Amino acid sequence: RSKEKGGNAYHYYKPDMNKRSMQRLNLEIHLRKALKRGEFDVYYQPLVDLSNGAVFGMESLVRWRHPEWGLVSPAEFIPLAEETGLIVPIGNWVLKQSCLQNKAWLQMGYSPLIVSVNISAIQFHQQNFVQIVTEALEESGLAPDQLCLEITENIAMNNLPYITETMQRLRALGVRISIDDFGTGYSSLSYLKRFRVHTLKIDQSFIRDITSDEDNAAIVTALIAMSHRLKIKSLAEGVETKEQLDFLITQGCDEIQGYVFSKPMPAPDFELLIKENKHLYVN
Ligand code: C2E
Ligand code: MG
Ligand code: MG
Ligand code: MG
């Protein structure tokens, strides 16, 4: 992998460049142009409240529609966007777009929804991050409690004073915070006391074989119980089957997200869903 980054470092041909680094370079060049060319889109995946089966919000998931390559999955370009710093403008765009869309649906008369936006560590560490969030709220007119920021444990467990300060300022602003992919990061849980987060999103790797793997079933049961004791909502990610759903309901999980209800979809399709006021059948 080439060590040179940014500037014109990539603009000359290196004969010893292997195929993989050529592909990376190609991807980076296209990624740099994608924002200007309007190739990004936000998909929305419903978040379901298990107490009544209603859709209470949605997660924003960025999609890149390249004119020749078609839809590129975030798993393929987010890591490179993070390495190159491009995640900052891309992430800011997703944040603003998500706030504008959520406000638009409110103004169209749909009941208030919470939009949940993934925030990369690189974005969170920006000095003006709280300012960026404030601007997204002001420019869209969205109420702060209709925005949730999804951060990872690796950000939250960091004990640096400015992280604590940023978390406090975000709380003061009134936005919600959830911990994404919970259980896959560092195991220190002391931050759960330090920052009062709203939701723990239990990673889908634990949910996948919840009905066949007793260890994962035990972990999920314990995480749900722990979140209840701490008065934090538990949300299970990647719920695909009725069996998984039944298990989660039995354990008292608060919320779910997954193909069992719906895949992420473009804004017009999500709007049809809330128009029908679709509920998940919960017995
Ligand atoms: P994530 O934040 O954990 O998002 C959930 C991922 O699980 C999404 O993948 C979603 O499509 C997928 N998923 C949801 N339900 C199911 C299910 O029932 N089964 C399976 N197999 N998968 C399910 P997606 O959209 O490909 O995004 C992957 C990751 O890329 C996200 O994981 C997030 O870490 C990152 N990402 C996506 N959009 C953004 C963004 O705007 N900014 C940043 N920083 N990261 C993003
Ligand atoms: Mg997420
Ligand atoms: Mg996740
Ligand atoms: Mg994630």
Side-chain angles (χ1 to χ4, degrees):
R1 182 155 92 192
S2 167
K3 283 207 183 90
E4 296 120 312
K5 254 190 208 165
N8 292 318
Y10 280 137
H11 290 189
Y12 57 86
Y13 177 68
K14 263 177 93 186
D16 61 341
M17 241 184 205
N18 62 31
K19 195 169 168 237
R20 244 195 98 233
S21 57
M22 283 303 286
Q23 283 170 340
R24 264 178 63 91
L25 164 59
N26 201 18
L27 189 64
E28 184 183 339
I29 289 170
H30 285 260
L31 198 53
R32 286 194 185 279
K33 294 175 183 161
L35 258 184
K36 268 181 258 158
R37 296 182 175 176
E39 293 171 4
F40 291 112
D41 193 9
V42 181
Y43 275 36
Y44 296 95
Q45 186 178 29
L47 305 175
V48 179
D49 182 344
L50 287 181
S51 71
N52 56 11
V55 175
F56 70 92
M58 58 282 183
E59 178 171 4
S60 287
L61 294 157
V62 70
R63 294 293 179 262
W64 179 15
R65 207 180 314 274
H66 188 275
E68 290 142 49
W69 309 336
L71 216 57
V72 187
S73 113
E76 285 176 67
F77 70 88
I78 294 282
L80 183 64
E82 288 179 331
E83 276 178 55
T84 54
L86 288 167
I87 192 65
V88 172
I90 295 170
N92 291 348
W93 179 82
V94 172
L95 175 66
K96 194 159 287 180
Q97 186 60 31
S98 303
C99 291
L100 286 168
Q101 181 62 77
N102 200 18
K103 180 67 181 185
W105 280 327
L106 187 72
Q107 284 175 327
M108 288 164 81
Y110 300 115
S111 40
L113 295 161
I114 296 168
V115 69
S116 203
V117 182
N118 289 288
I119 302 297
S120 148
I122 317 275
Q123 266 178 291
F124 191 92
H125 293 138
Q126 291 284 297
Q127 251 200 324
N128 60 349
F129 179 65
V130 179
Q131 185 57 32
I132 298 276
V133 175
T134 308
E135 278 170 21
L137 290 170
E138 280 173 2
E139 285 173 31
S140 60
L142 187 70
D145 64 355
Q146 283 186 262
L147 173 64
C148 179
L149 305 176
E150 296 195 4
I151 64 170
T152 58
E153 289 166 273
N154 305 359
I155 299 177
M157 67 150 286
N158 204 319
N159 217 340
L160 291 170
Y162 85 94
I163 301 279
T164 310
E165 197 200 307
T166 303
M167 292 293 278
Q168 282 164 351
R169 288 173 64 200
L170 289 170
R171 264 203 85 84
L173 197 58
V175 299
R176 293 165 188 265
I177 305 280
S178 65
I179 305 296
D180 201 0
D181 308 333
F182 188 73
T184 62
Y186 291 95
S187 57
S188 162
L189 296 173
S190 59
Y191 69 85
L192 291 176
K193 285 196 300 184
R194 254 185 299 136
F195 315 127
R196 289 202 293 125
V197 305
H198 294 80
T199 310
L200 294 185
K201 300 191 73 173
I202 304 170
D203 192 67
Q204 59 184 70
S205 60
F206 300 114
I207 308 296
R208 200 167 297 135
D209 48 10
I210 208 178
T211 51
S212 58
D213 182 323
E214 293 202 353
D215 293 340
N216 279 350
I219 290 171
V220 171
T221 302
L223 292 181
I224 293 169
M226 180 187 73
S227 65
H228 284 166
R229 294 293 291 270
L230 294 170
K231 299 188 173 61
I232 301 172
K233 296 271 187 207
S234 51
L235 184 152
E237 295 192 280
V239 184
E240 293 185 351
T241 68
K242 178 80 170 70
E243 289 70 34
Q244 292 166 343
L245 178 65
D246 288 341
F247 177 88
L248 292 161
I249 291 171
T250 307
Q251 298 306 321
C253 185
D254 297 301
E255 301 163 354
I256 63 132
Q257 171 179 3
Y259 298 170
V260 73
F261 185 75
S262 166
K263 291 199 168 184
M265 52 197 154
D269 295 341
F270 187 85
E271 193 184 325
L272 287 180
L273 181 124
I274 51 175
K275 195 175 271 170
E276 292 168 6
N277 197 11
K278 198 173 163 189
H279 277 59
L280 178 67
Y281 181 69
V282 182
N283 45 4

